[in-house]
Structure formats: structure tokens, C-alpha cells
Amino acid sequence: MFAVTATRIDPDNPLTGLTLGERPEPEVPDGWTTVTVRATALNHHDLWTLKGVGIREDRLPIVLGCDAAGLDEDGNEVIVHSVLGSGADETLDPRRSLLSEVYDGTFAERVVVPRRNLVPKPAALSFEEAACLPTAWLTAYRMLFDRAGLEPGSTVLVQGAGGGVATALITLGRAGGYRVWVTGRSEEKRARALALGADQVFESGARLPERVDAVMETVGQATWDHSLKALRPGGRIVVSGATSGAVPPADLNRVFFLQLSVMGSTMGTRDQLARLARFLEQTGARPVIDRVLPLTEAREGFAALHGGDVFGKVVFTLTP
């Protein structure tokens, strides 16, 4: 079968380890099943794998990709939950992994996953839209509706316009009844965030009209001080990832007046993925897709993500 594979690690030039070509058909363990992939979405996790983050060289070659939507063995339309673990909240299982870390991922014609990891795809969502949900959109859903502790009408600050999680936070926050403010370095991305539904946009680090109820923090070092200053007393910062570097030590003069919710992993549970899909079906909100490419042209999508030239999600498709 055709697949996109990580074959070497290079922290400085990650795309040199990207290989497109034929791979053996996957073996199916007991309790697992095969999904025929129709669409799969690109994440920073895939770039980090090529840089050697979270994976050892001896696990290569491995098929990349966490997200997928496709058909199960009975022809049902499904979404693949990419967290492999056990318990009521599989993200808390200390032995959990994601697809493409221990087991081959979704950038292939077929992917093998535990049966419990399949979620029905609502007919209202296209395969391309559904493929965006398991990583970035599920992370945003959990940040807003599980960890932030907000009521409708609350003001949320999203740090960093443009990425998959950020665009999901804007869309979900708007659909959930929040007032959404967004910061961004790029005037173009701030304008696109406004068009997407943000109530106000600001330059990175700008003084805000008032303090906010919660900050959605995925940037890290570059925005952390601003996140602390922007938060009202008793407000909450929800942290999931740090694309600009590790979060520095907090200012202890402020830390006593905030609630900090650090997500131990991105994404959420299988049940939350099912609820997210239903939420989109009911509200009409849809993922922001930057571009759709055939999987055979995956290198173009990786190059765009690596260069920061993306607003929303890059999706790869496979023909039936």
C-alpha cells in the first residue's frame, strides 16, 4: 500500500527523513480492525517525529499521521481516535501512545487500530472535515469545554492566530457562546481570525481593553508573560503545548491569583471526540482547512507547515 513514512531523524532538516512510497500491508492484532483511509490531517506532531521528538531512531521506519476518517471493515463511515490507551480517560494512562509513535499512523491507504478507537462519523461532516478532529480540534474542545470552567458569555483570549488548535478555539468558542479575542504576529492572520469569528484581534503582547476570564495558551515562552498580565484575578490559563519553547517560571506576584490547567497530553478521550463530532453536526461549525492535497503530494503540505505558511489544517486525501 502507499504510505508516507519517517525513515530518518534530522532536527535541523526534518523533511529529509520524509519518504513516500510502498509499504507492507499492516498486520491486524486480536481486537483491532482495519480502516480504509479517505482523509487524514497533518499536525505538528508529524514534524516533531521527523525531528526526533518523542520517538527513538530504532522505531523507524514508521508511518506518520495521527488523524483519519474513512471506512471500517463493514463499510461504516468512521473517525479514528488516535490515543491508544486504557481506562475511562485514556489520555491519563501512563502507557498511552499516539498513532505513529509505537504503531504505524494514518498517512496510508489503510491503518490498523483497536476497535474501541472508532467513532461514527456524522453524515453532515465530509471525510476531510472529520479528519481534522482527532488532534487539533479535540485538543481545543477539551481546553474550552472541559478545562476552562467557563460559562457562555465569558471572554477567552486565544494566543497565536493561525494554527490548527487556534482556529479550532476560535470556531468552537464562537459556537459555544464565548467572546473570543485573538492575538497574532501577522496582520494577515489577525484579519483571517476576525473573518473566522473572533470578536477582536490584537498584535502579540498588546495591552487589552480589559482582563479576560481565560487564556488558551499553546505558544509558551513567547506569550507567557502576556497571558499572565491579560488574566483577571481568579481566571484560568489552560496550557496545551508550547510551540515557541517551554513556559518560563511564573511571576509569583501573579500566580496566586490565577488557576492553571496544564493538559498532560493533547487531544481528549474517545467519548469527547464523539461529542465534538455531534457538536459540529448540531451547530454547523466546521474545521478551517487551509488546503487539501492528495497523499501522494504530502511533501508540499509538510513544507508549508514547516515554513509556517498555514492557516487552519492541511488535509491529505486518498481516492477510493
Side-chain angles (χ1 to χ4, degrees):
M1 67 175 183
F2 182 83
V4 176
T5 307
T7 53
R8 59 172 291 193
I9 288 171
D10 190 330
D12 299 318
N13 299 292
L15 300 192
T16 62
L18 191 64
T19 300
L20 283 65
E22 293 299 311
R23 287 278 293 167
E25 289 286 339
E27 297 182 2
V28 187
D30 290 341
W32 291 47
T33 188
T34 301
V35 173
T36 300
V37 178
R38 288 288 179 262
T40 178
L42 180 63
N43 292 287
H44 277 97
H45 183 275
D46 304 304
L47 275 177
W48 294 333
T49 298
L50 292 167
K51 293 180 179 182
V53 178
I55 195 167
R56 301 191 308 267
E57 190 101 37
D58 61 7
R59 291 202 183 276
L60 304 183
I62 194 165
V63 177
L64 294 166
C66 298
D67 299 347
L71 303 176
D72 69 10
E73 292 176 326
D74 297 319
N76 300 306
E77 296 185 352
V78 295
I79 307 171
V80 175
H81 180 45
S82 61
V83 182
L84 308 180
S86 60
D89 185 342
E90 54 268 47
T91 68
L92 301 179
D93 182 352
R95 294 177 295 180
R96 74 183 182 278
S97 67
L98 306 181
L99 287 171
S100 77
E101 290 182 345
V102 177
Y103 301 97
D104 281 338
T106 57
F107 290 173
E109 294 179 84
R110 285 167 289 283
V111 62
V112 172
V113 297
R115 293 183 186 276
R116 72 186 297 268
N117 280 58
L118 299 185
V119 169
K121 180 185 81 65
L125 296 180
S126 69
F127 284 116
E128 291 83 358
E129 291 165 342
C132 298
L133 304 188
T135 299
W137 277 69
L138 185 53
T139 298
Y141 179 89
R142 192 171 199 179
M143 292 175 76
L144 275 174
F145 301 130
D146 182 25
R147 297 303 181 90
L150 298 173
E151 297 179 357
S154 299
T155 302
V156 178
L157 175 65
V158 177
Q159 292 283 23
V165 175
T167 55
L169 287 165
I170 296 167
T171 305
L172 292 173
R174 181 77 175 183
Y178 302 144
R179 182 170 66 165
V180 182
W181 292 355
V182 181
T183 66
R185 292 178 296 173
S186 161
E187 182 177 352
E188 177 188 357
K189 289 186 176 180
R190 291 196 302 271
R192 294 182 71 176
L194 201 60
L196 185 59
D199 292 277
Q200 292 193 64
V201 295
F202 306 90
E203 294 183 11
S204 297
R207 185 180 180 88
L208 304 181
E210 61 187 68
R211 294 189 177 185
V212 301
D213 299 299
V215 179
M216 303 294 109
E217 176 61 79
T218 62
V219 179
Q221 186 173 9
T223 56
W224 182 247
D225 187 61
H226 184 252
S227 293
L228 290 174
K229 292 177 180 177
L231 195 68
R232 67 165 174 79
R236 181 172 295 186
I237 298 179
V238 183
V239 180
S240 179
T243 57
S244 70
V247 172
D251 181 345
L252 294 181
N253 289 323
R254 298 192 186 100
V255 74
F256 296 118
F257 300 99
L258 65 86
Q259 300 179 67
L260 185 63
S261 179
V262 181
M263 290 174 57
S265 67
T266 55
M267 285 116 29
T269 68
R270 177 194 178 280
D271 289 343
Q272 286 175 326
L273 177 59
R275 289 197 292 273
L276 166 60
R278 289 196 297 271
F279 182 82
L280 298 186
E281 181 182 35
Q282 294 297 318
T283 63
R286 293 294 184 269
V288 181
I289 298 176
D290 180 88
R291 67 193 76 187
V292 177
L293 300 166
L295 187 62
T296 53
E297 298 177 17
R299 190 173 297 276
E300 177 184 333
F302 271 85
L305 185 63
H306 184 48
D309 183 26
V310 169
F311 187 89
K313 298 295 293 178
V314 174
V315 176
F316 304 132
T317 57
L318 296 96
T319 56

